[in-house]
């Protein structure tokens, strides 16, 4: 391809091709993207070929050996993410000017709030949908450091994570909490042992698995002198390590007790070893949030306030 050619302007057709390319890359291939895009594989292939011709770059390898992005494809994907996010922001700003609540709101969570009786995020979404039915919600689960980075960078509108070493670039609104206990899995030496015979030195002598990023989980494990032998990015992965019977780990009781009920886990010294996490909604301080984000934030706070929270 002629690398001396330049893309002199971006048209609506280019944005469409970039969205198709992004969907294919995130899905891991053309066939996997058919359901996401609701178009056939041959049409997707033509769109990718058109984009490669338009950019004068080979973006991906596709064929019997499978799908993979080229180095240029990886770079174009990163640039496309920024461009498409900017387009979304532009549309939201124009809709603000037109006083219409339409567009997309991007939200990421860290915790397992679906099983937390103190969390009323589903109810928040229900009420928000009533007030702004034309707004599309993008909801994802991310590690706390990723959430903070993406909110600060404008890739996310709202994050929900545990309060720990607040960033000066973010605003925090406390929402709900959860109780964290230490668990072991079936097959671990502590599982069938008498809890009365255990002490902190015993716990410190065995393998411990914890969240790898800056978090209350990391801080508490270090403070108690636990021997961390495995690191994870989220609580589902941590639950798997605990169930292996090879590691201890902290889980919220609303998640860990589900496994206890099935005879797969057991709390370790629950009267002595536990802590409580406080969760908050985070938004970036500058620029000010748009009307869509403010509405969701107000609804989220209202859902977690007062005696009738979550109703």
């Amino acid at each position: 391809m002629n690398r001396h050619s330049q893309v002199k302007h971006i048209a609506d057709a280019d944005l469409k091709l970039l969205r198709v390319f992004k969907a294919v890359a995130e899905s891991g291939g053309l066939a996997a993207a058919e359901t996401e895009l609701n178009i056939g594989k041959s049409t997707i292939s033509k769109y990718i070929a058109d984009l490669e011709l338009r950019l004068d770059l080979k973006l991906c390898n596709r064929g019997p050996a499978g799908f993979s992005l080229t180095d240029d494809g990886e770079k174009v994907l990163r640039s496309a993410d920024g461009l498409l996010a900017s387009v979304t922001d532009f549309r939201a700003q124009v809709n603000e000017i037109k006083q219409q609540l339409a567009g997309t709101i991007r939200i990421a969570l860290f915790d397992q709030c679906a099983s937390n009786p103190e969390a009323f995020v589903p109810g928040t979404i229900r009420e928000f949908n009533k007030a702004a039915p034309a707004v599309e919600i993008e909801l994802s689960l991310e590690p706390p450091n990723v959430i903070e980075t993406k909110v600060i960078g404008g890739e996310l509108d709202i994050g929900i994570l545990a309060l720990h070493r607040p960033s000066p670039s973010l605003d925090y609104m406390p929402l709900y909490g959860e109780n964290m206990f230490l668990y072991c899995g079936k097959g671990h030496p502590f599982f069938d042992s008498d809890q009365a015979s255990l002490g902190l030195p015993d716990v410190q002598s065995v393998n411990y698995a914890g969240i790898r990023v800056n978090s209350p989980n990391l801080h508490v494990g270090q403070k108690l002198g636990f021997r961390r032998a495995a690191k994870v990015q989220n609580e589902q992965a941590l639950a798997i390590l605990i169930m292996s019977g090879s590691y201890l780990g902290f889980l919220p009781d609303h998640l860990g007790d589900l496994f206890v009920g099935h005879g797969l886990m057991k709390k370790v010294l629950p009267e002595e070893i536990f802590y409580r996490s406080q969760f908050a909604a985070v938004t970036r301080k500058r620029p000010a949030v748009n009307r869509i984000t403010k509405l969701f934030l107000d609804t989220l706070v209202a859902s977690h306030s007062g005696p009738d929270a979550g109703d």
Side-chain angles (χ1 to χ4, degrees):
M1 293 184 178
N2 177 14
R3 293 304 180 93
H4 296 291
S5 65
Q6 296 181 340
V7 177
K8 295 183 179 180
H9 69 277
I10 300 295
D12 287 344
D14 296 317
L15 295 177
K16 177 180 179 180
L17 296 178
L18 286 170
R19 288 191 181 96
V20 170
F21 171 60
K22 184 174 185 292
V24 170
E26 290 178 346
S27 299
L30 279 65
E34 286 183 292
T35 302
E36 172 71 19
L37 295 170
N38 197 29
I39 54 178
K41 182 179 176 182
S42 60
T43 303
I44 296 174
S45 181
K46 182 180 182 304
Y47 284 155
I48 296 297
D50 289 346
L51 181 61
E52 289 179 326
L53 182 62
R54 174 77 170 117
L55 300 180
D56 196 26
L57 292 169
K58 182 174 176 59
L59 301 176
C60 56
N61 302 305
R62 49 197 187 277
F67 176 87
S68 63
L69 293 178
T70 63
D71 289 342
D72 288 338
E74 295 278 5
K75 295 173 184 176
V76 169
L77 179 61
R78 289 195 293 270
S79 297
D81 283 339
L83 173 61
L84 295 174
S86 296
V87 171
T88 297
D89 288 342
F90 173 77
R91 286 175 176 165
Q93 290 166 16
V94 170
N95 284 326
E96 282 216 33
I97 295 171
K98 296 169 65 178
Q99 297 297 302
Q100 294 176 352
L101 286 175
T104 302
I105 184 167
R106 301 154 298 180
I107 306 161
L109 309 145
F110 168 65
D111 73 322
Q112 305 291 325
C113 73
S115 58
N116 188 343
E118 297 185 33
F120 306 118
V121 178
T124 297
I125 293 173
R126 180 180 63 247
E127 295 305 312
F128 177 80
N129 280 335
K130 291 178 183 177
V135 175
E136 180 183 53
I137 295 177
E138 291 183 4
L139 186 66
S140 61
L141 294 174
E142 304 280 0
N145 60 323
V146 173
I147 293 176
E148 289 181 331
T149 299
K150 286 188 174 183
V151 171
I152 292 171
E155 296 175 67
L156 287 172
D157 299 302
I158 297 175
I160 299 178
L161 42 70
L163 281 171
H164 181 68
R165 297 181 184 173
S167 166
S169 301
L170 297 170
D171 284 325
Y172 295 78
M173 292 191 179
L175 297 174
Y176 57 85
E178 64 183 10
N179 299 313
M180 305 291 294
F181 290 91
L182 193 65
Y183 291 85
C184 68
K186 188 175 182 180
H188 192 278
F190 292 171
F191 191 83
D192 294 317
S193 64
D194 180 10
Q195 293 278 329
S197 66
L198 294 178
L200 182 59
D202 299 303
V203 176
Q204 292 170 328
S205 69
V206 299
N207 288 340
Y208 165 79
I211 304 293
R212 68 185 307 156
V213 294
N214 234 345
S215 64
N217 181 289
L218 178 64
H219 174 73
V220 172
Q222 291 174 337
K223 183 178 179 181
L224 292 173
F226 290 168
R227 188 174 74 195
R228 191 168 72 170
K231 297 178 284 187
V232 299
Q233 290 275 42
N234 57 63
E235 289 171 342
Q236 288 291 347
L238 184 53
I240 291 172
L241 288 180
I242 294 171
M243 282 193 292
S244 75
S246 301
Y247 304 91
L248 303 181
F250 281 107
L251 289 176
D253 58 358
H254 57 85
L255 176 63
D257 286 356
L258 296 176
F259 298 105
V260 172
H262 287 90
L264 299 174
M265 287 188 191
K266 183 178 181 179
K267 286 178 181 172
V268 177
L269 298 178
E271 301 297 323
E272 302 173 40
I273 303 177
F274 64 90
Y275 68 94
R276 182 169 173 81
S277 287
Q278 175 69 43
F279 282 78
V282 298
T283 55
R284 59 178 175 172
K285 289 186 175 180
R286 297 288 185 275
V289 299
N290 60 36
R291 289 175 60 241
I292 293 173
T293 302
K294 186 177 187 306
L295 175 61
F296 191 94
L297 203 58
D298 290 345
T299 308
L300 187 64
V301 172
S303 296
H304 291 85
S305 301
D308 299 322
D311 289 348

